């Protein structure tokens, strides 16, 4: 746990040095809110923050399902022709297998470099979006740790490659570049099939927050929760001839998403609805605000479905949307609340996050060839 706490404390440490060297730093957040995001923190500070995350994530060895990934990589043939013949084109991840084969044959056979490369790609995708669109890069980076989004880079690495790349393509959703977006989604679905869900999400989240389209989406989610058994029986039939055949059988052994997690992810969209009139004033100034509200709501709805069905299967989907909370929460703080109310809310929410972090990270030891188990 020491490494994880050092990662979460790293953000305020760098923020302290940033503000010490930039006396106007605090005022710049309000400047971005009122005039659109015209000021971005220096790239050097953004790199320093995420380099620390990337280093420890890339240096792990036996955290969560990392050992299974390492075994898979080590079992790949270093003979390109033979390795190519062994790719399972009908499996769950032919695109990921091709990437692994190229990496092992032409870059390095050492899994440490492989893990580090994937951590760098995922980390830089997140960093670039937060630096470009967040009104408070440091708090967004803190949220990345405290909300445990980083855990996906340790456990669920293959899926998070898709999540981070699609997050980096968020401007394509905002600008309606549907052809480019669908091409990327289809390519990433060969890495992790869940990426395909972002095609219907694309059409939902482009709507005006709290519009009729969003209301219909919420109604559909409620109906799925009520009629989850027949709905997912139909899903299971549809998956019958795919690599995910029988996946919904996991429901029988799975209690679903923890209700506390559902409640935790309900907070941002609830506040966004409560303060919708104040927030609406900033729609034109903050390019990702509307989409972040819709993404956060979609994440909550998916977690809600997962609570009634499967935390294993459905619980994997919301991360594509809940990652936008890294943008939305600072947006809410700085558009819906002013002065003392804002400061109190940030302090209380930060305390809540640290408690959430502590209880969810307990027992999750960090293991690396560099540090051992700590």
């Amino acid at each position: 746990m020491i490494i994880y706490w050092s990662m979460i404390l790293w953000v305020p440490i760098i923020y302290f040095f940033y503000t010490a060297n930039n006396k106007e730093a605090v005022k710049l957040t309000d400047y971005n809110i009122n005039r659109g995001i015209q000021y971005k923190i220096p790239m050097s500070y953004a790199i320093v923050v995420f380099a620390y995350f990337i280093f420890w994530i890339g240096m792990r060895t036996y955290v969560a399902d990392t050992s299974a990934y390492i075994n898979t990589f080590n079992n790949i043939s270093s003979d390109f022709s033979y390795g190519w013949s062994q790719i399972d084109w009908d499996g769950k991840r032919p695109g990921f297998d091709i990437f692994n084969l190229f990496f092992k044959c032409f870059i390095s056979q050492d899994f440490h470099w492989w893990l580090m490369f994937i951590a760098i790609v995922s980390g830089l995708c997140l960093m670039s979006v937060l630096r470009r669109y967040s009104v408070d890069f440091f708090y967004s980076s803190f949220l990345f740790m405290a909300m445990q989004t980083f855990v996906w880079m340790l456990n669920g690495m293959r899926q998070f490659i898709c999540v981070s790349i699609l997050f980096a393509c968020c401007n394509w959703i905002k600008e309606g570049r549907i052809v480019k977006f669908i091409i990327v989604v289809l390519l990433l679905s060969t890495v992790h099939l869940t990426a395909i869900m972002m095609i219907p999400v694309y059409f939902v989240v482009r709507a005006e927050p709290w519009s009729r389209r969003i209301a219909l989406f919420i109604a559909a989610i409620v109906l799925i929760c009520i009629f989850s058994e027949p709905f997912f029986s139909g899903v299971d039939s549809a998956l019958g001839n795919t690599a995910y055949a029988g996946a919904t059988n996991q429901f029988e052994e799975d209690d679903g998403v923890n209700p506390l997690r559902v409640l935790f992810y309900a907070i941002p969209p609830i506040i966004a609805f409560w303060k919708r009139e104040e927030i609406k004033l900033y729609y034109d100034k903050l390019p990702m605000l509307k989409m972040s509200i819709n993404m956060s709501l979609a994440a909550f709805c998916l977690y809600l479905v997962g609570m009634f069905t499967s935390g294993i299967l459905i619980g994997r989907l919301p991360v594509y949307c809940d990652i936008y909370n890294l943008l939305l929460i600072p947006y809410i703080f700085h558009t819906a609340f002013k002065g003392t109310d804002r400061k109190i809310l940030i302090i209380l929410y930060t305390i809540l996050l640290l408690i959430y972090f502590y209880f969810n990270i307990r027992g999750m030891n960090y293991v690396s060839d560099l540090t051992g188990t700590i």
Side-chain angles (χ1 to χ4, degrees):
M1 286 181 60
I2 295 174
I3 294 299
Y4 305 133
W5 280 108
S6 76
M7 291 165 71
I8 206 170
L9 292 173
W10 181 249
V11 180
I13 290 172
I14 302 304
Y15 179 70
F16 171 80
F17 284 105
Y18 170 65
T19 53
N21 293 311
N22 189 344
K23 301 301 182 182
E24 299 296 316
V26 177
K27 296 179 181 179
L28 290 172
T29 298
D30 289 329
Y31 176 84
N32 277 337
I33 285 290
N34 294 319
R35 303 196 179 200
I37 302 175
Q38 298 182 13
Y39 174 82
K40 301 178 181 65
I41 70 161
M43 179 64 77
S44 57
Y45 282 97
I47 290 174
V48 168
V49 170
F50 268 83
Y52 191 74
F53 300 158
I54 289 168
F55 175 79
W56 288 115
I57 291 169
M59 288 301 298
R60 76 195 189 279
T61 50
Y62 297 102
V63 179
D65 64 0
T66 301
S67 57
Y69 280 115
I70 292 173
N71 288 334
T72 299
F73 181 79
N74 287 337
N75 289 331
I76 296 172
S77 174
S78 56
D79 181 324
F80 183 80
S81 298
Y82 178 76
W84 186 266
S85 69
Q86 296 301 302
I87 292 175
D88 182 6
W89 296 99
D90 296 322
K92 299 179 182 179
R93 56 184 195 188
F96 189 63
D97 292 339
I98 292 170
F99 161 73
N100 294 341
L101 178 64
F102 270 88
F103 192 96
K104 188 165 188 177
C105 291
F106 302 113
I107 299 178
S108 175
Q109 298 182 30
D110 187 339
F111 72 84
H112 292 93
W113 288 110
W114 175 68
L115 289 174
M116 184 62 74
F117 181 83
I118 292 174
I120 290 171
V121 171
S122 298
L124 290 182
C125 285
L126 264 69
M127 184 199 77
S128 64
V129 176
L130 298 186
R131 181 174 177 269
R132 183 177 181 182
Y133 292 115
S134 178
V135 295
D136 190 339
F137 173 84
F138 290 99
Y139 201 78
S140 290
S141 300
F142 170 78
L143 291 171
F144 169 69
M145 290 299 305
M147 296 184 77
Q148 294 158 66
T149 307
F150 82 98
V151 172
W152 285 93
M153 297 176 72
L154 305 171
N155 185 28
M157 175 183 74
R158 178 165 60 92
Q159 183 180 1
F160 199 74
I161 295 170
C162 302
V163 173
S164 59
I165 292 175
L166 288 174
F167 190 48
C169 296
C170 61
N171 61 311
W172 290 357
I173 303 177
K174 178 178 67 70
E175 296 171 4
R177 300 181 185 180
I178 186 171
V179 175
K180 288 184 178 180
F181 185 75
I182 289 179
I183 290 173
V184 171
V185 168
L186 293 177
L187 288 173
L188 290 175
S189 69
T190 68
V191 175
H192 204 281
L193 188 59
T194 55
I196 206 74
M197 68 154 279
M198 286 301 289
I199 293 179
V201 167
Y202 170 95
F203 294 100
V204 173
V205 301
R206 280 178 49 80
E208 192 79 7
W210 321 117
S211 63
R212 180 176 295 180
R213 191 190 308 178
I214 298 300
L216 289 173
F217 172 72
I218 295 173
I221 293 298
V222 171
L223 290 174
I224 288 173
C225 292
I226 295 172
F227 301 104
S228 59
E229 185 175 347
F231 177 83
F232 284 102
S233 294
V235 172
D236 201 27
S237 300
L239 295 174
N241 296 320
T242 74
Y244 285 84
T248 55
N249 291 334
Q250 295 175 86
F251 293 169
E252 298 176 4
E253 302 176 1
D254 183 10
D255 294 332
V257 174
N258 189 317
L260 290 177
R261 177 176 288 270
V262 178
L263 181 62
F264 181 79
Y265 280 97
I267 294 173
I270 286 174
I271 297 178
F273 179 76
W274 170 37
K275 293 288 187 176
R276 62 190 181 280
E277 294 303 324
E278 293 92 332
I279 293 173
K280 186 186 296 184
L281 300 175
Y282 296 89
Y283 281 173
D284 294 333
K285 296 177 181 178
L286 302 174
M288 285 295 163
L289 178 54
K290 291 194 290 187
M291 193 168 76
S292 295
I293 293 172
N294 289 337
M295 284 289 192
S296 182
L297 179 63
F300 162 67
C301 290
L302 289 169
Y303 276 125
L304 187 64
V305 172
M307 186 174 73
F308 287 94
T309 54
S310 170
I312 295 175
L313 184 62
I314 305 303
R316 287 181 171 271
L317 303 182
V319 65
Y320 288 97
C321 302
D322 73 37
I323 197 169
Y324 284 82
N325 281 319
L326 304 184
L327 298 174
L328 177 61
I329 292 169
Y331 285 157
I332 290 174
F333 286 156
H334 293 280
T335 60
F337 300 91
K338 308 295 181 184
T340 303
D341 289 343
R342 178 194 298 169
K343 293 178 182 178
I344 293 173
L345 180 63
I346 291 175
I347 291 171
L348 291 177
Y349 191 70
T350 300
I351 293 172
L352 175 64
L353 284 172
L354 291 174
I355 294 172
Y356 181 79
F357 180 82
Y358 170 75
F359 281 104
N360 281 279
I361 213 70
R362 286 185 306 170
M364 185 177 169
N365 292 323
Y366 180 85
V367 185
S368 171
D369 291 340
L370 180 65
T371 65
T373 301
I374 56 175

